[in-house]
Amino acid sequence: MPSLKAIRNRIGAVKNTQKITRAMKMVSAAKLNRAQQAIIEARPYAQRLMQVLHDVALRAETQDHPLLARREPVQRTMLIVVTADRGLCGAFNANIIRRAERYIAEETAAGKEVSLGLVGRKGTDHFRRRRGNVEAEFRDVFVGGLGFADAKNIGDWIVDHYVSAAPPLDEVSLVYNEFKSAVSQKVTVEKLLPIDPTELAEAGGTGTEFIYEPDKEALLNLLLPLYVNFEVFRVLLESLASEHGARMSAMENATTNAAEMLGALQLQYNRGRQAAITKELMEIIGGAEALKG
């Protein structure tokens, strides 16, 4: 049995850890509220952008723009893996990495070549250790505040690489944690390129015929990259909110576990102290009896 001093030290260490986890939970809760607000504020623009793009792209031919062109059969695909830059958020990063590895295994088994674009330090470190086919790394995206410029940097690279890669890419997909609630995140694999106008039907178009000025090609050159950038921005916002939710839940569980551990340690300390007092009393009584004799 450990000494009473060791138990006291352990109790002090657990109390300090509990203070840290409680503070981290409160910080994550505040950041989660801001991340949720950012998602809500981005929705009207995203909805309108999808409506306009639906009306324009649905009337375009696939050869009108390389981001609409379908390449069959699909032989080369790229997966954009969105993880966090930091840990202490439960299974948030591990779930994404496992899903990405499963995707790679499935596509490779089907005879496809898979390359990776990595967003976030955790995913980058993991696939670098395993010598994955990494095309690009984007670290510290979530450090210091996430802005549209960060998403545009990633989106522009995806578009340029998709159009100019040699041999050409046939498909680009994203894997990320979709935000459901503060305690629920869903690992999602979503195809980003090529853009399928029929999949934008959920946004609902106006059904109006347009006269294009200057022309349809110029409009597609503007709208399609903008759509990719905003989709990347939406995914980053979802991932950020999911990360804060996962960290808040993990810190809440850690705080609860620390309280339970403190209860067990306090009980152990009380029993040890009681045993020490009993032993001292027995020694005093034994000494008194010896003196009487």
Side-chain angles (χ1 to χ4, degrees), residues 130-152:
R130 282 154 181 77
R131 302 181 183 277
N133 184 15
V134 179
E135 296 282 352
E137 300 175 2
F138 301 92
R139 292 172 175 259
D140 301 327
V141 174
F142 303 106
V143 175
L146 175 65
F148 184 73
D150 301 302
K152 187 177 185 302

Side-chain angles (χ1 to χ4, degrees), residues 97-136:
I97 290 171
R98 278 198 297 268
R99 184 64 184 90
E101 288 181 335
R102 189 163 84 245
Y103 177 93
I104 294 170
E106 291 169 354
E107 296 296 290
T108 303
K112 301 176 185 178
E113 180 185 344
V114 182
S115 58
L116 297 172
L118 305 175
V119 180
R121 186 174 299 173
K122 291 297 181 180
T124 299
D125 292 343
H126 174 86
F127 285 104
R128 274 298 179 191
R129 286 195 300 268
R130 282 154 181 77
R131 302 181 183 277
N133 184 15
V134 179
E135 296 282 352

